[in-house]
Amino acid sequence: MNLKFLECFLIITILKKKVNKHYNYTMSEFLYKEIWQETLKEIHNDFKNNNQENQFLLWYNLEYIEDTIDSITVGVSSDFMWKKTVDKGIPEQICNKIKNLTGQPELKLIPKIQNIQISQENNQPTEINTNSEKQKDIQNIQIKKNNQNLEKIKSDNRKNSSLNPEFTFENFITNEGSANHFAYSMAKSVAENPGIKNPILFYGGVGLGKTHLMQAIGNKIIELSNNSKKICYTQTEFFLNEFTMSIMNKTQNSFKNKYRNVDVLLLDDIQFLSNKDGVQEELFYTFEALYGNKKQMVFTCDRPLIEIKNIAERLVSRLGSGMCLNLNMPDYETRKAIIYKKLEKFNIPVSEEIIDFVSKVVETNIRDIEGAITNIVGYQEFLGNTPITVEQAKELIKDYYKAPSSGNISIENIKKVIAEDFNISVKDLIGSKRTNLISYARHIAFYITRNLTELSLSDIGNEFGGRDHSSVINGIKKIEDKIKIDSLLNQKIQQIIKEIKEYKN
Protein backbone atom coordinates (compact mmCIF):
# COMPACT_ATOMS: atom_id res chain seq x y z
CA MET A 1 0.00 0.00 0.00
CA ASN A 2 1.49 3.38 -0.96
CA LEU A 3 2.02 6.28 1.47
CA LYS A 4 -0.34 8.57 -0.41
CA PHE A 5 -3.22 6.15 0.07
CA LEU A 6 -2.41 5.68 3.76
CA GLU A 7 -2.25 9.44 4.31
CA CYS A 8 -5.65 9.92 2.68
CA PHE A 9 -7.13 7.07 4.69
CA LEU A 10 -5.92 8.54 8.00
CA ILE A 11 -7.27 11.98 7.13
CA ILE A 12 -10.69 10.55 6.33
CA THR A 13 -10.59 8.48 9.53
CA ILE A 14 -10.00 11.62 11.60
CA LEU A 15 -12.95 13.32 9.90
CA LYS A 16 -15.10 10.30 10.62
CA LYS A 17 -14.18 10.46 14.30
CA LYS A 18 -15.31 14.07 14.44
CA VAL A 19 -18.78 13.06 13.26
CA ASN A 20 -18.79 9.79 15.11
CA LYS A 21 -22.14 10.37 16.80
CA HIS A 22 -23.80 10.79 13.41
CA TYR A 23 -21.93 7.94 11.75
CA ASN A 24 -23.85 4.76 10.93
CA TYR A 25 -23.94 2.01 8.33
CA THR A 26 -25.90 4.04 5.81
CA MET A 27 -23.28 6.80 5.90
CA SER A 28 -20.35 4.41 5.44
CA GLU A 29 -18.40 5.03 2.27
CA PHE A 30 -16.63 1.67 2.60
CA LEU A 31 -13.44 3.44 3.70
CA TYR A 32 -11.97 0.21 5.03
CA LYS A 33 -12.61 -1.66 1.81
CA GLU A 34 -9.27 -0.96 0.15
CA ILE A 35 -7.46 -1.64 3.42
CA TRP A 36 -9.33 -4.96 3.69
CA GLN A 37 -8.35 -5.96 0.16
CA GLU A 38 -4.72 -5.04 0.78
CA THR A 39 -4.68 -7.01 4.04
CA LEU A 40 -6.17 -10.16 2.51
CA LYS A 41 -3.80 -9.84 -0.45
CA GLU A 42 -0.75 -9.75 1.85
CA ILE A 43 -1.99 -12.71 3.91
CA HIS A 44 -2.79 -14.63 0.71
CA ASN A 45 0.71 -14.01 -0.62
CA ASP A 46 2.21 -15.27 2.66
CA PHE A 47 0.25 -18.53 2.31
CA LYS A 48 1.18 -18.90 -1.36
CA ASN A 49 4.86 -18.41 -0.54
CA ASN A 50 4.57 -21.21 2.03
CA ASN A 51 2.75 -23.50 -0.44
CA GLN A 52 -0.39 -23.39 1.72
CA GLU A 53 -2.82 -21.67 -0.63
CA ASN A 54 -5.53 -24.28 0.01
CA GLN A 55 -5.43 -23.45 3.71
CA PHE A 56 -5.98 -19.77 2.86
CA LEU A 57 -8.93 -20.61 0.60
CA LEU A 58 -10.49 -22.74 3.33
CA TRP A 59 -10.10 -20.45 6.35
CA TYR A 60 -10.07 -16.91 4.90
CA ASN A 61 -13.28 -17.32 2.94
CA LEU A 62 -14.60 -13.95 4.20
CA GLU A 63 -16.16 -11.14 2.16
CA TYR A 64 -16.07 -7.44 3.06
CA ILE A 65 -19.61 -5.97 3.22
CA GLU A 66 -19.49 -2.61 5.07
CA ASP A 67 -17.84 -0.80 7.97
CA THR A 68 -18.26 1.58 10.86
CA ILE A 69 -15.54 3.57 12.58
CA ASP A 70 -14.51 0.58 14.70
CA SER A 71 -15.86 -2.52 12.90
CA ILE A 72 -16.05 -4.29 9.59
CA THR A 73 -19.02 -6.49 8.69
CA VAL A 74 -17.89 -9.58 6.79
CA GLY A 75 -19.86 -12.24 4.95
CA VAL A 76 -19.33 -15.83 6.11
CA SER A 77 -20.77 -19.06 4.75
CA SER A 78 -22.15 -20.42 8.04
CA ASP A 79 -22.09 -20.10 11.82
CA PHE A 80 -20.11 -23.32 11.89
CA MET A 81 -17.31 -21.97 9.69
CA TRP A 82 -17.27 -18.65 11.56
CA LYS A 83 -16.78 -20.47 14.86
CA LYS A 84 -13.90 -22.48 13.39
CA THR A 85 -12.41 -19.30 11.97
CA VAL A 86 -12.57 -17.62 15.39
CA ASP A 87 -11.08 -20.71 17.07
CA LYS A 88 -8.08 -20.42 14.74
CA GLY A 89 -7.62 -16.73 15.64
CA ILE A 90 -8.12 -15.56 12.05
CA PRO A 91 -10.33 -12.47 12.80
CA GLU A 92 -7.79 -11.36 15.40
CA GLN A 93 -4.95 -11.82 12.91
CA ILE A 94 -6.76 -9.77 10.25
CA CYS A 95 -7.58 -6.98 12.71
CA ASN A 96 -3.97 -6.82 13.90
CA LYS A 97 -2.82 -6.63 10.29
CA ILE A 98 -5.21 -3.76 9.58
CA LYS A 99 -4.11 -2.03 12.78
CA ASN A 100 -0.49 -2.24 11.64
CA LEU A 101 -1.45 -0.72 8.28
CA THR A 102 -3.70 2.08 9.57
CA GLY A 103 -2.98 2.62 13.25
CA GLN A 104 -6.71 2.25 13.92
CA PRO A 105 -7.18 0.53 17.35
CA GLU A 106 -10.03 -1.61 18.68
CA LEU A 107 -11.24 -2.82 15.30
CA LYS A 108 -13.49 -5.87 15.26
CA LEU A 109 -15.08 -8.11 12.64
CA ILE A 110 -18.83 -8.70 12.70
CA PRO A 111 -20.04 -11.83 10.86
CA LYS A 112 -23.03 -11.92 8.54
CA ILE A 113 -24.18 -15.34 7.34
CA GLN A 114 -24.55 -15.60 3.58
CA ASN A 115 -23.43 -17.71 0.63
CA ILE A 116 -19.83 -17.11 -0.35
CA GLN A 117 -18.18 -18.23 -3.55
CA ILE A 118 -14.45 -18.30 -4.27
CA SER A 119 -13.45 -16.21 -7.24
CA GLN A 120 -11.50 -18.19 -9.81
CA GLU A 121 -9.70 -15.05 -10.95
CA ASN A 122 -8.09 -13.75 -7.78
CA ASN A 123 -9.04 -16.30 -5.12
CA GLN A 124 -11.02 -13.67 -3.20
CA PRO A 125 -14.46 -14.56 -1.79
CA THR A 126 -17.44 -13.12 -3.62
CA GLU A 127 -20.84 -12.58 -1.98
CA ILE A 128 -23.77 -14.07 -3.83
CA ASN A 129 -26.71 -12.73 -1.79
CA THR A 130 -27.08 -9.30 -0.15
CA ASN A 131 -30.00 -7.39 1.29
CA SER A 132 -29.48 -4.11 -0.53
CA GLU A 133 -30.73 -3.91 -4.12
CA LYS A 134 -27.82 -1.64 -4.96
CA GLN A 135 -25.37 -4.11 -3.48
CA LYS A 136 -27.07 -6.91 -5.40
CA ASP A 137 -26.45 -5.06 -8.65
CA ILE A 138 -22.82 -4.50 -7.72
CA GLN A 139 -22.36 -8.10 -6.65
CA ASN A 140 -23.97 -9.39 -9.86
CA ILE A 141 -21.39 -7.45 -11.83
CA GLN A 142 -18.59 -8.79 -9.62
CA ILE A 143 -19.86 -12.35 -9.91
CA LYS A 144 -20.06 -12.06 -13.67
CA LYS A 145 -16.55 -10.66 -13.88
CA ASN A 146 -14.87 -12.88 -11.29
CA ASN A 147 -16.42 -16.09 -12.55
CA GLN A 148 -16.07 -15.57 -16.29
CA ASN A 149 -13.52 -18.37 -16.52
CA LEU A 150 -15.68 -20.73 -14.50
CA GLU A 151 -18.64 -19.98 -16.73
CA LYS A 152 -16.54 -20.94 -19.74
CA ILE A 153 -15.99 -24.30 -18.10
CA LYS A 154 -19.69 -24.78 -17.38
CA SER A 155 -20.92 -23.53 -20.77
CA ASP A 156 -22.97 -25.98 -22.82
CA ASN A 157 -21.04 -24.86 -25.87
CA ARG A 158 -17.62 -25.63 -24.43
CA LYS A 159 -15.44 -28.10 -26.29
CA ASN A 160 -14.86 -30.26 -23.23
CA SER A 161 -18.30 -30.99 -21.79
CA SER A 162 -17.10 -34.31 -20.34
CA LEU A 163 -15.00 -32.50 -17.73
CA ASN A 164 -16.57 -32.01 -14.32
CA PRO A 165 -16.38 -28.27 -13.44
CA GLU A 166 -16.27 -29.15 -9.74
CA PHE A 167 -12.89 -30.84 -10.20
CA THR A 168 -10.61 -27.83 -9.72
CA PHE A 169 -7.36 -27.23 -7.89
CA GLU A 170 -9.20 -24.96 -5.47
CA ASN A 171 -11.39 -27.89 -4.39
CA PHE A 172 -8.51 -30.32 -3.89
CA ILE A 173 -7.48 -30.31 -0.22
CA THR A 174 -3.90 -31.29 0.58
CA ASN A 175 -1.19 -30.61 3.14
CA GLU A 176 2.31 -29.40 2.38
CA GLY A 177 4.94 -32.11 2.63
CA SER A 178 2.68 -35.04 1.77
CA ALA A 179 3.03 -37.17 -1.35
CA ASN A 180 -0.37 -35.94 -2.45
CA HIS A 181 0.78 -32.33 -2.18
CA PHE A 182 3.67 -33.08 -4.52
CA ALA A 183 1.24 -34.62 -7.02
CA TYR A 184 -1.02 -31.58 -6.63
CA SER A 185 1.89 -29.17 -7.24
CA MET A 186 3.04 -31.09 -10.31
CA ALA A 187 -0.52 -31.11 -11.68
CA LYS A 188 -0.73 -27.32 -11.33
CA SER A 189 2.63 -26.95 -13.04
CA VAL A 190 1.45 -29.09 -15.95
CA ALA A 191 -1.77 -27.07 -16.28
CA GLU A 192 0.17 -23.82 -16.39
CA ASN A 193 2.77 -25.12 -18.87
CA PRO A 194 1.22 -27.97 -20.89
CA GLY A 195 3.60 -30.08 -22.95
CA ILE A 196 6.70 -29.42 -20.82
CA LYS A 197 6.34 -32.31 -18.36
CA ASN A 198 5.02 -35.11 -20.52
CA PRO A 199 3.40 -37.55 -19.90
CA ILE A 200 1.97 -37.45 -16.37
CA LEU A 201 0.65 -40.60 -14.68
CA PHE A 202 -1.35 -40.52 -11.44
CA TYR A 203 -1.75 -43.88 -9.74
CA GLY A 204 -3.32 -45.06 -6.49
CA GLY A 205 -6.39 -46.71 -4.99
CA VAL A 206 -10.05 -45.88 -5.47
CA GLY A 207 -11.35 -42.52 -4.28
CA LEU A 208 -8.00 -40.83 -3.63
CA GLY A 209 -8.28 -37.99 -6.14
CA LYS A 210 -6.64 -39.23 -9.35
CA THR A 211 -9.54 -38.26 -11.60
CA HIS A 212 -9.99 -35.00 -9.67
CA LEU A 213 -6.41 -33.90 -10.37
CA MET A 214 -6.55 -35.08 -13.98
CA GLN A 215 -9.70 -33.10 -14.69
CA ALA A 216 -8.40 -30.11 -12.70
CA ILE A 217 -5.55 -29.97 -15.21
CA GLY A 218 -8.05 -29.92 -18.06
CA ASN A 219 -10.27 -27.29 -16.45
CA LYS A 220 -7.30 -25.05 -15.67
CA ILE A 221 -5.97 -25.29 -19.23
CA ILE A 222 -9.41 -24.32 -20.54
CA GLU A 223 -9.39 -21.31 -18.23
CA LEU A 224 -5.85 -20.16 -19.03
CA SER A 225 -6.19 -20.74 -22.78
CA ASN A 226 -9.49 -18.86 -22.99
CA ASN A 227 -11.12 -22.11 -24.12
CA SER A 228 -8.92 -22.25 -27.21
CA LYS A 229 -7.29 -25.62 -26.50
CA LYS A 230 -8.80 -28.85 -27.75
CA ILE A 231 -8.97 -31.14 -24.74
CA CYS A 232 -10.20 -34.72 -24.72
CA TYR A 233 -11.05 -36.50 -21.46
CA THR A 234 -12.23 -40.09 -21.66
CA GLN A 235 -12.17 -43.31 -19.72
CA THR A 236 -10.11 -46.17 -21.10
CA GLU A 237 -13.16 -48.41 -21.29
CA PHE A 238 -14.92 -45.87 -23.53
CA PHE A 239 -11.73 -45.44 -25.58
CA LEU A 240 -11.70 -49.22 -26.08
CA ASN A 241 -15.38 -49.40 -27.07
CA GLU A 242 -14.99 -46.49 -29.47
CA PHE A 243 -11.96 -48.16 -31.06
CA THR A 244 -13.90 -51.41 -31.49
CA MET A 245 -16.84 -49.59 -33.10
CA SER A 246 -14.49 -47.78 -35.48
CA ILE A 247 -13.27 -51.16 -36.75
CA MET A 248 -16.81 -52.49 -37.13
CA ASN A 249 -17.95 -49.34 -38.94
CA LYS A 250 -14.73 -48.90 -40.90
CA THR A 251 -14.19 -45.43 -39.44
CA GLN A 252 -10.64 -45.94 -38.12
CA ASN A 253 -9.40 -42.74 -39.73
CA SER A 254 -12.01 -40.67 -37.92
CA PHE A 255 -11.04 -42.35 -34.65
CA LYS A 256 -7.35 -41.61 -35.24
CA ASN A 257 -8.01 -38.00 -36.19
CA LYS A 258 -10.12 -37.47 -33.09
CA TYR A 259 -7.41 -38.52 -30.64
CA ARG A 260 -4.24 -37.58 -32.53
CA ASN A 261 -5.24 -33.98 -33.14
CA VAL A 262 -5.99 -32.85 -29.60
CA ASP A 263 -3.92 -30.43 -27.52
CA VAL A 264 -4.47 -32.39 -24.31
CA LEU A 265 -5.38 -36.08 -23.89
CA LEU A 266 -6.70 -37.16 -20.49
CA LEU A 267 -7.12 -40.94 -20.34
CA ASP A 268 -8.56 -42.41 -17.14
CA ASP A 269 -8.05 -45.96 -15.73
CA ILE A 270 -5.47 -47.37 -18.16
CA GLN A 271 -5.38 -50.66 -16.21
CA PHE A 272 -8.26 -51.71 -18.48
CA LEU A 273 -5.79 -51.91 -21.36
CA SER A 274 -4.67 -55.28 -19.99
CA ASN A 275 -5.05 -58.09 -22.57
CA LYS A 276 -6.32 -55.65 -25.23
CA ASP A 277 -3.58 -55.92 -27.85
CA GLY A 278 -5.32 -54.00 -30.63
CA VAL A 279 -6.21 -50.93 -28.59
CA GLN A 280 -2.76 -50.99 -26.96
CA GLU A 281 -1.18 -50.66 -30.39
CA GLU A 282 -3.54 -47.82 -31.30
CA LEU A 283 -2.73 -45.97 -28.07
CA PHE A 284 0.99 -46.47 -28.72
CA TYR A 285 0.77 -44.68 -32.09
CA THR A 286 -1.53 -42.03 -30.63
CA PHE A 287 1.05 -41.45 -27.91
CA GLU A 288 3.84 -41.13 -30.47
CA ALA A 289 1.86 -38.61 -32.54
CA LEU A 290 0.96 -36.42 -29.56
CA TYR A 291 4.38 -36.63 -27.95
CA GLY A 292 6.06 -35.68 -31.22
CA ASN A 293 3.88 -32.57 -31.43
CA LYS A 294 4.52 -31.69 -27.74
CA LYS A 295 0.88 -32.18 -26.78
CA GLN A 296 0.13 -32.84 -23.13
CA MET A 297 -0.92 -36.33 -22.02
CA VAL A 298 -2.20 -37.32 -18.57
CA PHE A 299 -3.09 -40.87 -17.52
CA THR A 300 -4.46 -42.49 -14.37
CA CYS A 301 -4.13 -46.04 -13.11
CA ASP A 302 -5.17 -47.91 -9.97
CA ARG A 303 -1.68 -49.39 -9.44
CA PRO A 304 1.96 -48.94 -10.50
CA LEU A 305 2.49 -49.72 -14.19
CA ILE A 306 4.78 -52.67 -13.46
CA GLU A 307 1.90 -54.39 -11.67
CA ILE A 308 -0.42 -54.32 -14.70
CA LYS A 309 -0.18 -57.61 -16.51
CA ASN A 310 -0.35 -58.18 -20.26
CA ILE A 311 0.48 -54.69 -21.52
CA ALA A 312 3.07 -54.34 -24.27
CA GLU A 313 6.48 -53.41 -22.90
CA ARG A 314 6.94 -50.55 -25.37
CA LEU A 315 3.62 -49.00 -24.27
CA VAL A 316 4.52 -49.36 -20.58
CA SER A 317 7.82 -47.68 -21.40
CA ARG A 318 6.05 -44.72 -23.03
CA LEU A 319 3.38 -44.33 -20.36
CA GLY A 320 5.98 -44.38 -17.60
CA SER A 321 8.53 -42.17 -19.35
CA GLY A 322 7.40 -38.97 -17.62
CA MET A 323 6.30 -38.25 -14.05
CA CYS A 324 4.62 -41.14 -12.18
CA LEU A 325 2.83 -39.67 -9.15
CA ASN A 326 1.34 -41.77 -6.37
CA LEU A 327 -1.74 -40.65 -4.42
CA ASN A 328 -2.12 -41.96 -0.89
CA MET A 329 -4.81 -41.72 1.74
CA PRO A 330 -4.61 -38.18 3.22
CA ASP A 331 -3.22 -37.83 6.73
CA TYR A 332 -5.39 -37.01 9.75
CA GLU A 333 -5.09 -33.21 9.43
CA THR A 334 -5.96 -33.28 5.73
CA ARG A 335 -8.91 -35.61 6.36
CA LYS A 336 -10.17 -33.11 8.90
CA ALA A 337 -9.80 -30.22 6.44
CA ILE A 338 -11.75 -32.24 3.85
CA ILE A 339 -14.58 -32.70 6.36
CA TYR A 340 -14.65 -28.97 7.14
CA LYS A 341 -14.89 -28.22 3.42
CA LYS A 342 -17.70 -30.73 3.00
CA LEU A 343 -19.62 -29.32 5.98
CA GLU A 344 -19.31 -25.81 4.59
CA LYS A 345 -21.57 -26.86 1.70
CA PHE A 346 -24.19 -28.33 4.03
CA ASN A 347 -24.22 -25.32 6.37
CA ILE A 348 -25.21 -27.63 9.23
CA PRO A 349 -23.16 -27.59 12.45
CA VAL A 350 -21.49 -30.84 13.48
CA SER A 351 -19.65 -31.12 16.78
CA GLU A 352 -15.86 -31.06 16.87
CA GLU A 353 -15.93 -34.38 18.69
CA ILE A 354 -17.68 -36.10 15.78
CA ILE A 355 -15.44 -34.42 13.19
CA ASP A 356 -12.42 -35.65 15.10
CA PHE A 357 -13.88 -39.15 15.36
CA VAL A 358 -14.59 -39.44 11.62
CA SER A 359 -11.13 -38.04 10.78
CA LYS A 360 -9.48 -40.73 12.89
CA VAL A 361 -11.45 -43.83 12.01
CA VAL A 362 -12.27 -43.50 8.28
CA GLU A 363 -8.92 -44.35 6.75
CA THR A 364 -9.90 -45.96 3.45
CA ASN A 365 -10.40 -43.15 0.92
CA ILE A 366 -11.84 -39.67 0.41
CA ARG A 367 -15.13 -40.97 -0.98
CA ASP A 368 -15.72 -42.90 2.22
CA ILE A 369 -14.98 -39.79 4.29
CA GLU A 370 -17.51 -37.80 2.26
CA GLY A 371 -20.02 -40.64 2.45
CA ALA A 372 -19.65 -40.90 6.23
CA ILE A 373 -20.11 -37.18 6.82
CA THR A 374 -23.08 -37.08 4.43
CA ASN A 375 -24.78 -39.84 6.48
CA ILE A 376 -24.18 -37.90 9.69
CA VAL A 377 -25.44 -34.60 8.30
CA GLY A 378 -28.46 -36.27 6.70
CA TYR A 379 -29.48 -37.89 9.97
CA GLN A 380 -28.90 -34.69 11.93
CA GLU A 381 -31.02 -32.75 9.42
CA PHE A 382 -33.74 -35.40 9.75
CA LEU A 383 -33.74 -34.73 13.50
CA GLY A 384 -34.27 -31.02 12.91
CA ASN A 385 -30.56 -30.17 13.19
CA THR A 386 -30.44 -31.60 16.69
CA PRO A 387 -26.79 -32.47 17.47
CA ILE A 388 -26.10 -36.19 17.60
CA THR A 389 -23.71 -38.12 19.84
CA VAL A 390 -20.52 -39.92 18.90
CA GLU A 391 -22.27 -43.23 19.64
CA GLN A 392 -24.97 -42.37 17.13
CA ALA A 393 -22.31 -41.36 14.62
CA LYS A 394 -20.55 -44.71 15.05
CA GLU A 395 -23.74 -46.51 14.15
CA LEU A 396 -24.41 -44.23 11.16
CA ILE A 397 -21.01 -44.80 9.58
CA LYS A 398 -20.66 -48.50 10.29
CA ASP A 399 -20.37 -49.17 6.55
CA TYR A 400 -17.24 -47.02 6.46
CA TYR A 401 -15.85 -47.99 9.86
CA LYS A 402 -16.49 -51.06 11.96
CA ALA A 403 -15.62 -50.90 15.64
CA PRO A 404 -14.26 -54.20 16.97
CA SER A 405 -16.39 -56.36 19.20
CA SER A 406 -14.96 -57.00 22.63
CA GLY A 407 -12.31 -59.70 22.54
CA ASN A 408 -12.22 -60.03 18.73
CA ILE A 409 -8.68 -58.75 18.28
CA SER A 410 -6.50 -61.64 19.29
CA ILE A 411 -3.23 -62.82 17.81
CA GLU A 412 -4.92 -66.06 16.74
CA ASN A 413 -7.62 -64.21 14.82
CA ILE A 414 -4.99 -62.05 13.14
CA LYS A 415 -3.15 -65.17 11.97
CA LYS A 416 -6.32 -66.85 10.69
CA VAL A 417 -7.60 -63.82 8.73
CA ILE A 418 -4.24 -63.05 7.12
CA ALA A 419 -3.67 -66.70 6.20
CA GLU A 420 -7.13 -66.85 4.58
CA ASP A 421 -6.54 -63.59 2.70
CA PHE A 422 -3.30 -64.87 1.17
CA ASN A 423 -4.63 -68.40 0.65
CA ILE A 424 -1.94 -69.98 2.80
CA SER A 425 -2.10 -71.96 6.03
CA VAL A 426 -1.45 -70.55 9.50
CA LYS A 427 1.28 -73.19 9.73
CA ASP A 428 3.02 -71.65 6.69
CA LEU A 429 2.56 -68.14 8.06
CA ILE A 430 4.37 -68.91 11.32
CA GLY A 431 6.69 -71.56 9.88
CA SER A 432 10.10 -71.48 8.24
CA LYS A 433 9.06 -71.24 4.58
CA ARG A 434 10.32 -68.06 2.91
CA THR A 435 8.67 -67.92 -0.50
CA ASN A 436 7.85 -64.41 -1.70
CA LEU A 437 4.14 -64.78 -0.97
CA ILE A 438 4.58 -66.22 2.51
CA SER A 439 7.26 -63.68 3.49
CA TYR A 440 5.07 -60.86 2.24
CA ALA A 441 2.04 -62.12 4.22
CA ARG A 442 4.23 -62.55 7.30
CA HIS A 443 5.51 -58.97 7.10
CA ILE A 444 1.95 -57.68 6.82
CA ALA A 445 1.06 -59.81 9.84
CA PHE A 446 3.92 -58.19 11.80
CA TYR A 447 2.71 -54.73 10.77
CA ILE A 448 -0.96 -55.34 11.63
CA THR A 449 -0.18 -57.07 14.91
CA ARG A 450 2.00 -54.16 15.94
CA ASN A 451 -0.83 -51.72 15.17
CA LEU A 452 -3.74 -53.67 16.66
CA THR A 453 -2.19 -55.11 19.80
CA GLU A 454 0.11 -54.03 22.58
CA LEU A 455 2.49 -56.95 22.11
CA SER A 456 6.19 -56.11 22.20
CA LEU A 457 8.40 -56.79 19.18
CA SER A 458 9.84 -59.84 20.92
CA ASP A 459 6.35 -61.13 21.73
CA ILE A 460 5.29 -60.71 18.10
CA GLY A 461 8.40 -62.62 17.00
CA ASN A 462 7.57 -65.44 19.39
CA GLU A 463 4.00 -65.65 18.06
CA PHE A 464 5.29 -66.03 14.51
CA GLY A 465 7.66 -68.95 14.88
CA GLY A 466 10.14 -67.67 17.46
CA ARG A 467 11.64 -64.92 15.30
CA ASP A 468 13.83 -62.29 16.96
CA HIS A 469 12.75 -58.67 17.31
CA SER A 470 15.12 -57.46 14.55
CA SER A 471 13.30 -59.67 12.02
CA VAL A 472 10.00 -58.17 13.14
CA ILE A 473 11.36 -54.61 12.86
CA ASN A 474 12.70 -55.32 9.40
CA GLY A 475 9.38 -56.78 8.22
CA ILE A 476 7.37 -53.84 9.60
CA LYS A 477 9.72 -51.32 7.98
CA LYS A 478 9.37 -53.01 4.59
CA ILE A 479 5.59 -52.65 4.78
CA GLU A 480 5.80 -49.05 6.00
CA ASP A 481 8.12 -48.15 3.11
CA LYS A 482 5.88 -49.88 0.55
CA ILE A 483 2.76 -48.14 1.86
CA LYS A 484 4.40 -44.78 1.10
CA ILE A 485 4.53 -45.57 -2.61
CA ASP A 486 1.62 -47.98 -2.97
CA SER A 487 -1.76 -46.69 -1.83
CA LEU A 488 -3.39 -49.97 -2.88
CA LEU A 489 -1.41 -51.78 -0.20
CA ASN A 490 -2.70 -49.38 2.41
CA GLN A 491 -6.27 -50.06 1.28
CA LYS A 492 -5.65 -53.81 1.36
CA ILE A 493 -4.29 -53.59 4.90
CA GLN A 494 -7.27 -51.52 6.02
CA GLN A 495 -9.58 -54.15 4.55
CA ILE A 496 -7.72 -56.92 6.39
CA ILE A 497 -7.94 -54.94 9.63
CA LYS A 498 -11.68 -54.58 9.11
CA GLU A 499 -11.99 -58.34 8.58
CA ILE A 500 -10.00 -58.99 11.76
CA LYS A 501 -12.27 -56.68 13.76
CA GLU A 502 -15.37 -58.41 12.40
CA TYR A 503 -13.98 -61.94 12.64
CA LYS A 504 -16.14 -64.49 14.42
CA ASN A 505 -14.71 -67.77 15.63
Side-chain angles (χ1 to χ4, degrees), residues 455-480:
L455 293 177
S456 68
L457 295 171
S458 296
D459 289 338
I460 294 173
N462 289 333
E463 289 289 347
F464 288 89
R467 289 170 169 81
D468 58 40
H469 76 284
S470 62
S471 296
V472 176
I473 291 174
N474 183 52
I476 292 172
K477 188 176 187 309
K478 285 182 178 179
I479 298 303
E480 288 175 340

